Amino acid sequence: LYCKEAFLKMAHQDGEMFDKSVLDFQSYEDYLDQQVTNEDLFYLEDPDNARQIVELGYKGKDFMSREEFDAARKAASEGPLKRKKSLEAVCSVGKRFDDNPFLYALAKREELVRNGKLSTIIFIRDVVKGHEVSGFIDYGHRLKTEDFEEYFNRKKKLVPFYNNSSTFQVLADNEMGLLFKHKRDRKTINVDPKAPTPGDNSNRTVLQTDEYTQVT
């Protein structure tokens, strides 16, 4: 499991982690304006042109896209309510997994992932119907789109399949291989097992379990 702690810029309120600073801006244009300098306005003359330069990434890419900004504002506005609902939905509460390291690891992280304090990527390699399958799973995305009660009750076995990630953007790097870029704080996770570290505020955990051929 590759786990990444929430972006340090996040604020803490009612137990929820979210970026309250986005509420300081009434619009995405206001957010872009913080990147525009007097020198930009002098040469470009038009504020709209200056904002477009920022949005296109010519002044660096360490800022949110319009979609990410809207999502961050929504999260900051709905944070406390979202946490209340997420806690009500925690499926692993009251269950014991002493004999299953994988489910134990998922249960340990479930609440943190649901309320946005932790992002987790799971790599699974297994044999299904005589064929080896492997892949990465965005734990947070699967929690949002599936009923994990069935997994924690051991009625279903978690397997990888292609799905869009609501948390990460998948990048292919010629030198570093496969990278997962967090859509909120734009930091990357390196899933190469030979890499000394997966990235900032991130850790890698290898699990020994009889349920799968390999779990990281």
Side-chain angles (χ1 to χ4, degrees):
L1 287 78
Y2 297 85
C3 296
K4 183 185 185 307
E5 296 179 1
F7 184 30
L8 294 178
K9 188 179 177 182
M10 299 296 175
H12 186 282
Q13 177 177 321
D14 296 332
E16 176 71 30
M17 299 288 285
F18 50 85
D19 188 354
K20 289 188 65 178
S21 67
V22 295
L23 297 178
D24 295 335
F25 306 103
Q26 295 301 313
S27 67
Y28 185 61
E29 286 69 29
D30 290 342
Y31 172 71
L32 293 178
D33 283 343
Q34 73 170 337
Q35 306 285 338
V36 176
T37 65
N38 291 331
E39 185 178 5
D40 295 332
L41 294 175
F42 176 79
Y43 286 107
L44 297 171
E45 297 182 350
D46 186 346
D48 290 337
N49 290 338
R51 293 186 190 113
Q52 188 173 20
I53 291 297
V54 176
E55 188 170 5
L56 291 174
Y58 290 110
K59 299 194 67 176
K61 299 183 179 297
D62 191 20
F63 66 95
M64 291 181 282
S65 66
R66 187 178 296 273
E67 292 75 17
E68 291 167 340
F69 175 81
D70 291 340
R73 277 187 58 86
K74 182 177 180 181
S77 300
E78 301 176 357
L81 178 60
K82 179 182 176 182
R83 170 167 171 76
K84 180 180 178 181
K85 290 182 177 179
S86 69
L87 290 178
E88 292 172 350
V90 174
C91 301
S92 59
V93 171
K95 299 178 176 64
R96 297 184 64 87
F97 306 104
D98 298 337
D99 61 335
N100 192 313
F102 180 55
L103 289 181
Y104 178 83
L106 294 185
K108 184 178 179 181
R109 294 163 174 80
E110 183 189 5
E111 181 180 342
L112 294 174
V113 172
R114 284 189 185 276
N115 64 33
K117 292 182 181 179
L118 189 73
S119 299
T120 298
I121 299 169
I122 307 165
F123 174 75
I124 288 178
R125 184 162 62 91
D126 198 19
V127 176
V128 178
K129 296 181 179 179
H131 300 282
E132 182 175 290
V133 296
S134 63
F136 293 92
I137 296 171
D138 175 358
Y139 186 26
H141 185 86
R142 294 284 287 265
L143 282 172
K144 292 177 182 177
T145 57
E146 294 185 56
D147 180 8
F148 262 69
E149 194 77 39
E150 295 182 307
Y151 296 115
F152 287 121
N153 285 334
R154 311 187 194 208
K155 294 180 180 179
K156 289 178 63 177
K157 185 177 180 181
L158 188 65
V159 295
F161 58 81
Y162 177 79
N163 63 278
N164 294 323
S165 171
S166 57
T167 312
F168 298 97
Q169 176 185 358
V170 182
L171 304 174
D173 186 276
N174 290 334
E175 296 183 0
M176 302 180 69
L178 196 63
L179 301 174
F180 287 79
K181 184 177 182 180
H182 199 280
K183 293 181 178 179
R184 183 66 57 80
D185 67 14
R186 309 183 72 82
K187 304 295 184 180
T188 57
I189 293 180
N190 186 347
V191 295
D192 183 351
K194 297 180 181 179
T197 173
D200 295 342
N201 303 322
S202 303
N203 63 77
R204 180 190 300 112
T205 303
V206 178
L207 299 178
Q208 301 298 324
T209 174
D210 296 331
E211 302 297 317
Y212 299 91
T213 304
Q214 179 185 352
V215 175
T216 304

